[in-house]
Amino acid sequence: MVIGLFTVLLFIGVPIALVLAVSAMAYIQSSGNGVLFLSYPQQFFGGLDNYGLLAIPLFMLVGELMNEGGITRRLVAFASVFLGSVRGGLAYINILANMMLASIVGSANAQVAVMAQVMVPEMHQKGYDRNFATATTAAGALLAPVIPPSMLFVIFGVLAQISIGDLFIAGIVPGLLMAGGFILVIALLGFFYQYPPNERLTRAQVLHNLVGSLPSLSVPAVMIGSIIGGIATPTEAAAVGAAMAVLVGRFAHGEMKAERMGDMLLRVGINSAVVLALVAAAAVFGWVIVYEQIPQQLGAIMQGMTDDPFIYMLLLIALLLVVGMVIDGIAALILLVPIVLPVAESVYGINAYHLGVVMCINLTLGLLTPPVGAALYVASRVTGCRPGEIMRPLLPFLLVTLLVMVLISWQPGLVTAFIS
């Protein structure tokens, strides 16, 4: 009955937080153990009683402040300095700018909304196909949940009770592998379709872009440097990043206006509330899952299928690809981690950081695949391209992401090498 209720609520479009909360209540009712209702509010509150979750609204705030302060545009200008007049240069700039933005925003949906407004009109004006420009921007946004900091990593770290800072470090090499693969795709497509070369910048333009972007570069430098150097926790680094974004946007660039702050803070509050409500509801649902010993049952089933950790990871990738197509990445992560993590650690000896990076990359693909594909529809809405038209040029980038997942599943050292 509970599984049926969960499925019906999910597919009729009820918000996933309510689906999880109501399903947990239905289980308690059907179990006949009414005493569990006394623990329900405690479990709900306990899901939010974690200092690490404060990083989520702070990272959202950093992204919004960065857009308001003109930092995004200057990061794009900085990326353009290093490419000269290579063919398909604007597409490379798109990926490089997305890499720098990923170190600040941490959310693919937010990043694709920002970069689609900045890069797609510019690429289209310079002779690129609008669908390809949109696909490149959307693919670059896949880096946001992988290159630290990342909201998916924050949530996984909270659920798995592991160091979020170490999880950020674990995502660096996979993020660079994805970015390198995207650049290779652009090089091959640029050669085949003869994309226009980038305009060569004059010395004056190069100097202007470099000097003008230095204050903007201080925001990701301070955030990532403080985390890697052990000076600040991810939450503290996000708070420092927000303060830096205000100082840079207001005093260095002079673009941050007080009259726009109210709407911006309201957006941050609403988006944060949606995510945190989901976390709280998932805590209750995870409690029910553990009470029913579902991880142990799943572990027994998986052991009957394979004893090889790599094969298990491949099966998990296939499962998450399907799940990510119909459930939002954050919701899927919250739903599956309590089930998958105990099996991975106890049965197959898979490192939690390794599992977390693979799961987070895997679920980002769902942001760009129908029928849910939230980031795909954001890109479509911003640029006016139809989702189906974006998917064709997007497929090579998705294939590269899939290959990176298989590679790091096979070689876990690529994830764990830099973790102390």
Side-chain angles (χ1 to χ4, degrees):
M1 184 191 74
V2 175
I3 294 174
L5 176 64
F6 178 90
T7 305
V8 170
L9 292 177
L10 185 66
F11 281 96
I12 64 175
V14 175
I16 187 67
L18 288 178
V19 173
L20 295 173
V22 171
S23 297
M25 293 183 69
Y27 165 78
I28 295 173
Q29 180 64 38
S30 64
S31 69
N33 190 357
V35 177
L36 294 177
F37 276 118
L38 299 177
S39 298
Y40 189 95
Q42 180 181 359
Q43 296 294 332
F44 202 91
F45 174 78
L48 296 177
D49 189 20
N50 190 300
Y51 174 72
L53 288 176
L54 186 58
I56 293 175
L58 287 172
F59 283 135
M60 289 182 174
L61 179 61
V62 171
E64 291 285 353
L65 289 170
M66 190 183 64
N67 297 336
E68 292 290 341
I71 296 173
T72 304
R73 189 174 67 256
R74 286 169 176 83
L75 291 179
V76 173
F78 176 80
S80 68
V81 169
F82 301 96
L83 291 170
S85 57
V86 298
R87 184 170 298 281
L90 271 180
Y92 293 114
I93 291 172
N94 196 336
I95 296 298
L96 291 177
N98 267 295
M99 284 182 64
M100 289 185 285
L101 199 63
S103 68
I104 304 174
V105 176
S107 166
N109 288 339
Q111 185 160 322
V112 75
V114 172
M115 292 300 292
Q117 297 177 59
V118 175
M119 291 302 304
V120 174
E122 181 72 15
M123 291 180 68
H124 185 59
Q125 182 182 350
K126 293 295 191 295
Y128 291 82
D129 177 73
R130 194 172 186 85
N131 295 323
F132 171 77
T134 304
T136 304
T137 305
L142 285 174
L143 299 172
V146 183
I147 293 180
S150 161
M151 282 191 289
L152 282 183
F153 282 178
V154 170
I155 292 173
F156 184 91
V158 170
L159 293 171
Q161 298 183 352
I162 59 176
S163 168
I164 297 173
D166 284 345
L167 193 55
F168 283 174
I169 295 172
I172 293 176
V173 172
L176 293 176
L177 287 173
M178 287 173 61
F182 293 167
I183 289 172
L184 180 61
V185 167
I186 292 170
L188 294 174
L189 293 177
F191 177 79
F192 185 77
Y193 289 107
Q194 295 295 296
Y195 290 132
N198 196 37
E199 294 181 2
R200 184 178 294 276
L201 300 177
T202 65
R203 277 188 188 176
Q205 289 173 317
V206 169
L207 184 62
H208 178 269
N209 288 355
L210 287 175
V211 173
S213 63
L214 288 178
S216 297
L217 289 170
S218 68
V219 178
V222 168
M223 292 175 64
I224 303 303
S226 63
I227 294 172
I228 294 177
I231 300 172
T233 66
T235 302
E236 294 164 347
V240 172
M244 285 290 298
V246 171
L247 294 175
V248 170
R250 179 69 181 89
F251 299 106
H253 300 328
E255 295 188 18
M256 189 170 291
K257 306 301 180 184
E259 57 269 19
R260 296 203 297 264
M261 292 299 100
D263 290 340
M264 183 206 70
L265 292 173
L266 180 61
R267 288 196 303 272
V268 172
I270 292 173
N271 292 335
S272 300
V274 170
V275 174
L276 294 176
L278 185 57
V279 172
V284 179
F285 192 79
W287 167 58
V288 168
I289 287 173
V290 172
Y291 189 84
E292 274 292 282
Q293 296 187 326
I294 291 177
Q296 292 87 332
Q297 297 174 35
L298 180 62
I301 294 172
M302 294 299 296
Q303 276 187 301
M305 298 176 65
T306 179
D307 292 325
D308 190 326
F310 177 56
I311 301 299
Y312 169 77
M313 292 296 283
L314 293 182
L315 292 172
L316 182 61
I317 288 172
L319 170 65
L320 292 176
L321 285 174
V322 176
V323 170
M325 290 181 182
V326 295
I327 302 178
D328 176 74
I330 293 177
L333 195 65
I334 291 171
L335 183 64
L336 292 174
V337 168
I339 302 174
V340 172
L341 180 60
V343 176
E345 286 188 314
S346 63
V347 177
Y348 295 99
I350 295 172
N351 183 281
Y353 296 97
H354 180 210
L355 178 71
V357 171
V358 172
M359 287 189 71
C360 291
I361 295 176
N362 207 325
L363 291 171
T364 60
L365 284 178
L367 297 172
L368 291 173
T369 51
V372 176
L376 180 66
Y377 292 111
V378 169
S380 173
R381 186 170 64 250
V382 172
T383 64
C385 299
R386 290 185 295 181
E389 295 172 337
I390 301 172
M391 277 303 298
R392 183 175 179 182
L394 184 61
L395 284 175
F397 297 101
L398 300 182
L399 179 60
V400 164
T401 305
L402 183 60
L403 291 175
V404 168
M405 279 194 298
V406 173
L407 176 62
I408 64 176
S409 296
W410 177 48
Q411 295 292 334
L414 293 170
V415 176
T416 59
F418 299 105
I419 302 175
S420 57

